[in-house]
Amino acid sequence: MHKWVWLVFAVIKMSPWAACSFAQVDLQCELCWSSLPAIPNAKGLAGPFVGMIGEQLFVAGGANFPDNPPWDGGTKKWSEAVYSLNVASDAAEQKRWQRVGELPKRLAYGVSITTSQGIICIGGSDDRQHYSDVFELSVSNGVLDIRALPALPLALANCCGALVGDSIFVAGGNTSPDATTAMKKFWSLDLSNPLAPWCEHEPWPGPGRILAVAGTDNESFFLFSGAELLPDANGKANRSYLRDAYRFHPERGWKKLADMPRAAVAAPSPAPFSADGRFLILGGDDGSLVGLQQLDQHPGFPKSAILYDSIADHWPSSIPLDVSRVTTTIVRHQDSYILPTGEVRPGVRSPDVWKFRWNPQADSASQFK
């Protein structure tokens, strides 16, 4: 065999990501991962606004512990920086993050929705309060533009949302940093009518929640997991980790779905959806380590994705994950998904940015026992 053929074979064998560059190998892996340049914040960010404008990936706002972790007395700080990355360019000088502007204020833990016009940022919080602001990020003549949209009826953070047709749907959240209950509110904003305000709908039949996962099949809105907030004897909020799931159709209302095999609080949202009717819930916090006294020894969030079959209404399988993050947004780019930054474990973020392709036809999933 020619020596160059042997060299190519050796590179493929040596690199865990190289195989995913070849279409014939893609058929053999259900999740094929590759890396993009890390964001220009070495500590990483939790809860940033994320979206695509053309071929540009945007990460805006977010929060982290820049000096010390929380168990060493570190203080969480919020960011207003807006960064962008050309994900299509192969040129090294263009494959770099650029700081392209600032948000109106320091913000994190809101909802971000990519549309054909730009990225819509909804709600969020800083270190003092939650906000009802809604605005759109777009680019005009190479310059970042920020346009105000109708505000939410209430200040909200830690909610979830997704685009269904021309309407944005937002569910749950809480109204202040010290809230001891989660909201059971459900709103939509019709983007086809620039004069339309937010419209309130009947909420799902389960409890209020924060940090749920949204999803859409382009006809309905799906609500997965989240955490209910319950006040304790000292007036502080305790989380109850939820495994319930619901589907909302604009004409037929809510329907309760099969319970999830485990909770997936703060898993990346919205959940990817495949043409065969399946959703992919990536990791999330299952609540199994609540009460861990030494957070510096936290092993991280579950490294498994769970699949939901929306046609059969059941959870058929799980998939091992090499990358597990919470409190971040998944955004689609062509036939792939991008998972930027987010929390690795409580108090610790990662600046890494991952791109993955999902091949639902691969039969590599392990069945639940």
mmCIF file of all heavy atoms in Angstrom, residues 332-361:
data_model
loop_
_atom_site.group_PDB
_atom_site.id
_atom_site.type_symbol
_atom_site.label_atom_id
_atom_site.label_comp_id
_atom_site.label_asym_id
_atom_site.label_seq_id
_atom_site.Cartn_x
_atom_site.Cartn_y
_atom_site.Cartn_z
ATOM 1 N N ARG A 332 -28.767 25.653 15.948
ATOM 2 C CA ARG A 332 -28.531 24.831 14.763
ATOM 3 C C ARG A 332 -27.768 25.621 13.718
ATOM 4 O O ARG A 332 -28.027 26.811 13.501
ATOM 5 C CB ARG A 332 -29.851 24.329 14.188
ATOM 6 C CG ARG A 332 -29.656 23.407 12.988
ATOM 7 C CD ARG A 332 -30.792 22.471 12.762
ATOM 8 N NE ARG A 332 -30.446 21.438 11.798
ATOM 9 C CZ ARG A 332 -31.167 20.365 11.558
ATOM 10 N NH1 ARG A 332 -32.283 20.165 12.242
ATOM 11 N NH2 ARG A 332 -30.793 19.472 10.666
ATOM 12 N N HIS A 333 -26.837 24.920 13.042
ATOM 13 C CA HIS A 333 -26.112 25.496 11.904
ATOM 14 C C HIS A 333 -26.062 24.445 10.810
ATOM 15 O O HIS A 333 -25.399 23.415 10.941
ATOM 16 C CB HIS A 333 -24.701 25.915 12.302
ATOM 17 C CG HIS A 333 -23.886 26.399 11.142
ATOM 18 N ND1 HIS A 333 -22.784 25.734 10.666
ATOM 19 C CD2 HIS A 333 -24.046 27.489 10.345
ATOM 20 C CE1 HIS A 333 -22.284 26.383 9.636
ATOM 21 N NE2 HIS A 333 -23.026 27.449 9.417
ATOM 22 N N GLN A 334 -26.810 24.695 9.731
ATOM 23 C CA GLN A 334 -26.916 23.750 8.626
ATOM 24 C C GLN A 334 -27.368 22.387 9.157
ATOM 25 O O GLN A 334 -28.428 22.289 9.745
ATOM 26 C CB GLN A 334 -25.589 23.696 7.863
ATOM 27 C CG GLN A 334 -25.215 25.036 7.239
ATOM 28 C CD GLN A 334 -23.882 25.021 6.532
ATOM 29 O OE1 GLN A 334 -23.183 24.008 6.484
ATOM 30 N NE2 GLN A 334 -23.479 26.162 5.984
ATOM 31 N N ASP A 335 -26.559 21.327 8.969
ATOM 32 C CA ASP A 335 -26.985 20.000 9.419
ATOM 33 C C ASP A 335 -26.356 19.622 10.752
ATOM 34 O O ASP A 335 -26.348 18.438 11.127
ATOM 35 C CB ASP A 335 -26.658 18.941 8.364
ATOM 36 C CG ASP A 335 -25.170 18.849 8.071
ATOM 37 O OD1 ASP A 335 -24.420 19.727 8.549
ATOM 38 O OD2 ASP A 335 -24.756 17.913 7.359
ATOM 39 N N SER A 336 -25.838 20.615 11.482
ATOM 40 C CA SER A 336 -25.189 20.354 12.769
ATOM 41 C C SER A 336 -25.781 21.236 13.853
ATOM 42 O O SER A 336 -26.591 22.134 13.578
ATOM 43 C CB SER A 336 -23.680 20.623 12.664
ATOM 44 O OG SER A 336 -23.073 19.779 11.715
ATOM 45 N N TYR A 337 -25.365 20.984 15.093
ATOM 46 C CA TYR A 337 -25.760 21.790 16.242
ATOM 47 C C TYR A 337 -24.501 22.295 16.938
ATOM 48 O O TYR A 337 -23.465 21.620 16.945
ATOM 49 C CB TYR A 337 -26.604 20.972 17.222
ATOM 50 C CG TYR A 337 -27.921 20.516 16.668
ATOM 51 C CD1 TYR A 337 -28.019 19.296 15.994
ATOM 52 C CD2 TYR A 337 -29.063 21.299 16.801
ATOM 53 C CE1 TYR A 337 -29.232 18.866 15.474
ATOM 54 C CE2 TYR A 337 -30.279 20.874 16.283
ATOM 55 C CZ TYR A 337 -30.355 19.669 15.621
ATOM 56 O OH TYR A 337 -31.559 19.255 15.101
ATOM 57 N N ILE A 338 -24.609 23.478 17.530
ATOM 58 C CA ILE A 338 -23.483 24.070 18.241
ATOM 59 C C ILE A 338 -23.861 24.219 19.709
ATOM 60 O O ILE A 338 -24.946 24.698 20.042
ATOM 61 C CB ILE A 338 -23.092 25.434 17.635
ATOM 62 C CG1 ILE A 338 -22.656 25.240 16.177
ATOM 63 C CG2 ILE A 338 -21.976 26.083 18.445
ATOM 64 C CD1 ILE A 338 -22.352 26.531 15.460
ATOM 65 N N LEU A 339 -22.941 23.780 20.571
ATOM 66 C CA LEU A 339 -23.129 23.829 22.016
ATOM 67 C C LEU A 339 -21.999 24.676 22.602
ATOM 68 O O LEU A 339 -20.892 24.186 22.817
ATOM 69 C CB LEU A 339 -23.094 22.410 22.587
ATOM 70 C CG LEU A 339 -23.339 22.236 24.080
ATOM 71 C CD1 LEU A 339 -24.774 22.602 24.438
ATOM 72 C CD2 LEU A 339 -23.044 20.802 24.498
ATOM 73 N N PRO A 340 -22.248 25.959 22.870
ATOM 74 C CA PRO A 340 -21.166 26.823 23.343
ATOM 75 C C PRO A 340 -21.145 26.985 24.864
ATOM 76 O O PRO A 340 -22.183 27.079 25.508
ATOM 77 C CB PRO A 340 -21.494 28.156 22.677
ATOM 78 C CG PRO A 340 -22.986 28.170 22.595
ATOM 79 C CD PRO A 340 -23.443 26.729 22.519
ATOM 80 N N THR A 341 -19.964 26.991 25.444
ATOM 81 C CA THR A 341 -19.699 27.317 26.835
ATOM 82 C C THR A 341 -20.686 26.594 27.773
ATOM 83 O O THR A 341 -21.055 25.459 27.527
ATOM 84 C CB THR A 341 -19.645 28.854 27.057
ATOM 85 O OG1 THR A 341 -19.147 29.138 28.361
ATOM 86 C CG2 THR A 341 -20.916 29.565 26.750
ATOM 87 N N GLY A 342 -21.133 27.187 28.879
ATOM 88 C CA GLY A 342 -22.029 26.541 29.821
ATOM 89 C C GLY A 342 -21.300 25.989 31.042
ATOM 90 O O GLY A 342 -20.071 26.047 31.136
ATOM 91 N N GLU A 343 -22.089 25.451 31.978
ATOM 92 C CA GLU A 343 -21.554 24.934 33.237
ATOM 93 C C GLU A 343 -21.141 23.466 33.105
ATOM 94 O O GLU A 343 -21.888 22.640 32.592
ATOM 95 C CB GLU A 343 -22.588 25.035 34.352
ATOM 96 C CG GLU A 343 -22.887 26.446 34.800
ATOM 97 C CD GLU A 343 -23.818 26.453 35.999
ATOM 98 O OE1 GLU A 343 -23.434 25.923 37.062
ATOM 99 O OE2 GLU A 343 -24.934 26.978 35.857
ATOM 100 N N VAL A 344 -19.951 23.159 33.615
ATOM 101 C CA VAL A 344 -19.460 21.786 33.678
ATOM 102 C C VAL A 344 -19.918 21.125 34.969
ATOM 103 O O VAL A 344 -20.275 19.947 34.992
ATOM 104 C CB VAL A 344 -17.921 21.773 33.602
ATOM 105 C CG1 VAL A 344 -17.382 20.352 33.674
ATOM 106 C CG2 VAL A 344 -17.445 22.464 32.343
ATOM 107 N N ARG A 345 -19.889 21.874 36.050
ATOM 108 C CA ARG A 345 -20.371 21.457 37.363
ATOM 109 C C ARG A 345 -20.701 22.728 38.134
ATOM 110 O O ARG A 345 -20.348 23.826 37.689
ATOM 111 C CB ARG A 345 -19.332 20.609 38.103
ATOM 112 C CG ARG A 345 -17.961 21.228 38.262
ATOM 113 C CD ARG A 345 -16.942 20.192 38.712
ATOM 114 N NE ARG A 345 -15.590 20.703 38.803
ATOM 115 C CZ ARG A 345 -15.005 21.105 39.926
ATOM 116 N NH1 ARG A 345 -15.675 21.061 41.079
ATOM 117 N NH2 ARG A 345 -13.771 21.540 39.939
ATOM 118 N N PRO A 346 -21.403 22.645 39.254
ATOM 119 C CA PRO A 346 -21.810 23.866 39.952
ATOM 120 C C PRO A 346 -20.629 24.799 40.226
ATOM 121 O O PRO A 346 -19.603 24.389 40.768
ATOM 122 C CB PRO A 346 -22.407 23.332 41.260
ATOM 123 C CG PRO A 346 -22.925 21.988 40.901
ATOM 124 C CD PRO A 346 -21.930 21.427 39.919
ATOM 125 N N GLY A 347 -20.773 26.055 39.794
ATOM 126 C CA GLY A 347 -19.749 27.055 40.031
ATOM 127 C C GLY A 347 -18.623 27.069 39.018
ATOM 128 O O GLY A 347 -17.773 27.957 39.053
ATOM 129 N N VAL A 348 -18.584 26.092 38.111
ATOM 130 C CA VAL A 348 -17.487 25.983 37.143
ATOM 131 C C VAL A 348 -18.057 25.983 35.731
ATOM 132 O O VAL A 348 -18.912 25.152 35.396
ATOM 133 C CB VAL A 348 -16.662 24.704 37.370
ATOM 134 C CG1 VAL A 348 -15.548 24.590 36.324
ATOM 135 C CG2 VAL A 348 -16.073 24.699 38.776
ATOM 136 N N ARG A 349 -17.585 26.905 34.900
ATOM 137 C CA ARG A 349 -17.983 26.973 33.503
ATOM 138 C C ARG A 349 -16.821 26.524 32.616
ATOM 139 O O ARG A 349 -15.691 26.395 33.068
ATOM 140 C CB ARG A 349 -18.372 28.406 33.104
ATOM 141 C CG ARG A 349 -19.681 28.894 33.716
ATOM 142 C CD ARG A 349 -19.463 29.431 35.128
ATOM 143 N NE ARG A 349 -20.606 30.218 35.573
ATOM 144 C CZ ARG A 349 -21.476 29.843 36.496
ATOM 145 N NH1 ARG A 349 -21.339 28.691 37.096
ATOM 146 N NH2 ARG A 349 -22.468 30.632 36.837
ATOM 147 N N SER A 350 -17.110 26.339 31.338
ATOM 148 C CA SER A 350 -16.069 26.006 30.373
ATOM 149 C C SER A 350 -16.156 26.968 29.197
ATOM 150 O O SER A 350 -17.256 27.281 28.724
ATOM 151 C CB SER A 350 -16.241 24.573 29.859
ATOM 152 O OG SER A 350 -15.385 24.338 28.754
ATOM 153 N N PRO A 351 -15.026 27.454 28.690
ATOM 154 C CA PRO A 351 -15.061 28.317 27.504
ATOM 155 C C PRO A 351 -15.185 27.534 26.204
ATOM 156 O O PRO A 351 -15.339 28.133 25.130
ATOM 157 C CB PRO A 351 -13.706 29.036 27.571
ATOM 158 C CG PRO A 351 -12.806 28.043 28.217
ATOM 159 C CD PRO A 351 -13.662 27.307 29.228
ATOM 160 N N ASP A 352 -15.138 26.208 26.264
ATOM 161 C CA ASP A 352 -15.107 25.395 25.057
ATOM 162 C C ASP A 352 -16.410 25.499 24.268
ATOM 163 O O ASP A 352 -17.501 25.667 24.837
ATOM 164 C CB ASP A 352 -14.851 23.930 25.408
ATOM 165 C CG ASP A 352 -13.474 23.714 26.014
ATOM 166 O OD1 ASP A 352 -12.598 24.583 25.831
ATOM 167 O OD2 ASP A 352 -13.279 22.690 26.696
ATOM 168 N N VAL A 353 -16.285 25.386 22.964
ATOM 169 C CA VAL A 353 -17.429 25.408 22.054
ATOM 170 C C VAL A 353 -17.388 24.125 21.239
ATOM 171 O O VAL A 353 -16.373 23.812 20.600
ATOM 172 C CB VAL A 353 -17.394 26.633 21.132
ATOM 173 C CG1 VAL A 353 -18.596 26.633 20.184
ATOM 174 C CG2 VAL A 353 -17.362 27.921 21.955
ATOM 175 N N TRP A 354 -18.492 23.390 21.253
ATOM 176 C CA TRP A 354 -18.561 22.108 20.565
ATOM 177 C C TRP A 354 -19.613 22.140 19.463
ATOM 178 O O TRP A 354 -20.650 22.794 19.589
ATOM 179 C CB TRP A 354 -18.891 20.986 21.542
ATOM 180 C CG TRP A 354 -17.801 20.732 22.526
ATOM 181 C CD1 TRP A 354 -17.695 21.206 23.803
ATOM 182 C CD2 TRP A 354 -16.618 19.955 22.304
ATOM 183 N NE1 TRP A 354 -16.544 20.772 24.394
ATOM 184 C CE2 TRP A 354 -15.856 20.004 23.502
ATOM 185 C CE3 TRP A 354 -16.133 19.236 21.213
ATOM 186 C CZ2 TRP A 354 -14.636 19.343 23.621
ATOM 187 C CZ3 TRP A 354 -14.921 18.570 21.343
ATOM 188 C CH2 TRP A 354 -14.193 18.632 22.541
ATOM 189 N N LYS A 355 -19.323 21.408 18.414
ATOM 190 C CA LYS A 355 -20.253 21.242 17.302
ATOM 191 C C LYS A 355 -20.511 19.748 17.145
ATOM 192 O O LYS A 355 -19.580 18.943 17.253
ATOM 193 C CB LYS A 355 -19.651 21.824 16.018
ATOM 194 C CG LYS A 355 -20.588 21.855 14.817
ATOM 195 C CD LYS A 355 -19.910 22.581 13.656
ATOM 196 C CE LYS A 355 -20.846 22.731 12.480
ATOM 197 N NZ LYS A 355 -20.210 23.484 11.358
ATOM 198 N N PHE A 356 -21.758 19.367 16.932
ATOM 199 C CA PHE A 356 -22.029 17.941 16.769
ATOM 200 C C PHE A 356 -23.083 17.702 15.696
ATOM 201 O O PHE A 356 -23.951 18.537 15.442
ATOM 202 C CB PHE A 356 -22.455 17.292 18.093
ATOM 203 C CG PHE A 356 -23.778 17.745 18.649
ATOM 204 C CD1 PHE A 356 -24.951 17.070 18.337
ATOM 205 C CD2 PHE A 356 -23.858 18.843 19.502
ATOM 206 C CE1 PHE A 356 -26.168 17.472 18.859
ATOM 207 C CE2 PHE A 356 -25.075 19.257 20.020
ATOM 208 C CZ PHE A 356 -26.234 18.570 19.705
ATOM 209 N N ARG A 357 -22.958 16.554 15.080
ATOM 210 C CA ARG A 357 -23.970 16.059 14.141
ATOM 211 C C ARG A 357 -24.689 14.901 14.801
ATOM 212 O O ARG A 357 -24.074 14.057 15.472
ATOM 213 C CB ARG A 357 -23.325 15.617 12.828
ATOM 214 C CG ARG A 357 -22.689 16.763 12.044
ATOM 215 C CD ARG A 357 -22.151 16.277 10.718
ATOM 216 N NE ARG A 357 -23.234 15.828 9.853
ATOM 217 C CZ ARG A 357 -23.042 15.281 8.648
ATOM 218 N NH1 ARG A 357 -21.825 15.094 8.201
ATOM 219 N NH2 ARG A 357 -24.069 14.906 7.917
ATOM 220 N N TRP A 358 -25.987 14.867 14.606
ATOM 221 C CA TRP A 358 -26.815 13.822 15.207
ATOM 222 C C TRP A 358 -27.342 12.939 14.092
ATOM 223 O O TRP A 358 -28.060 13.403 13.201
ATOM 224 C CB TRP A 358 -27.948 14.459 16.001
ATOM 225 C CG TRP A 358 -28.911 13.490 16.619
ATOM 226 C CD1 TRP A 358 -28.679 12.191 16.977
ATOM 227 C CD2 TRP A 358 -30.279 13.745 16.966
ATOM 228 N NE1 TRP A 358 -29.799 11.621 17.525
ATOM 229 C CE2 TRP A 358 -30.790 12.562 17.530
ATOM 230 C CE3 TRP A 358 -31.086 14.866 16.866
ATOM 231 C CZ2 TRP A 358 -32.103 12.462 17.976
ATOM 232 C CZ3 TRP A 358 -32.400 14.780 17.310
ATOM 233 C CH2 TRP A 358 -32.899 13.583 17.864
ATOM 234 N N ASN A 359 -27.008 11.677 14.171
ATOM 235 C CA ASN A 359 -27.495 10.702 13.209
ATOM 236 C C ASN A 359 -28.440 9.734 13.920
ATOM 237 O O ASN A 359 -28.000 8.724 14.479
ATOM 238 C CB ASN A 359 -26.324 9.929 12.577
ATOM 239 C CG ASN A 359 -26.815 8.816 11.660
ATOM 240 O OD1 ASN A 359 -27.904 8.890 11.097
ATOM 241 N ND2 ASN A 359 -26.008 7.771 11.526
ATOM 242 N N PRO A 360 -29.745 10.037 13.948
ATOM 243 C CA PRO A 360 -30.683 9.197 14.701
ATOM 244 C C PRO A 360 -30.790 7.768 14.176
ATOM 245 O O PRO A 360 -31.272 6.881 14.873
ATOM 246 C CB PRO A 360 -32.023 9.934 14.546
ATOM 247 C CG PRO A 360 -31.667 11.317 14.132
ATOM 248 C CD PRO A 360 -30.410 11.185 13.325
ATOM 249 N N GLN A 361 -30.346 7.538 12.918
ATOM 250 C CA GLN A 361 -30.477 6.206 12.351
ATOM 251 C C GLN A 361 -29.436 5.228 12.915
ATOM 252 O O GLN A 361 -29.599 4.012 12.804
ATOM 253 C CB GLN A 361 -30.336 6.268 10.827
ATOM 254 C CG GLN A 361 -31.605 6.753 10.109
ATOM 255 C CD GLN A 361 -31.890 8.207 10.401
ATOM 256 O OE1 GLN A 361 -31.000 9.045 10.320
ATOM 257 N NE2 GLN A 361 -33.122 8.513 10.723
#
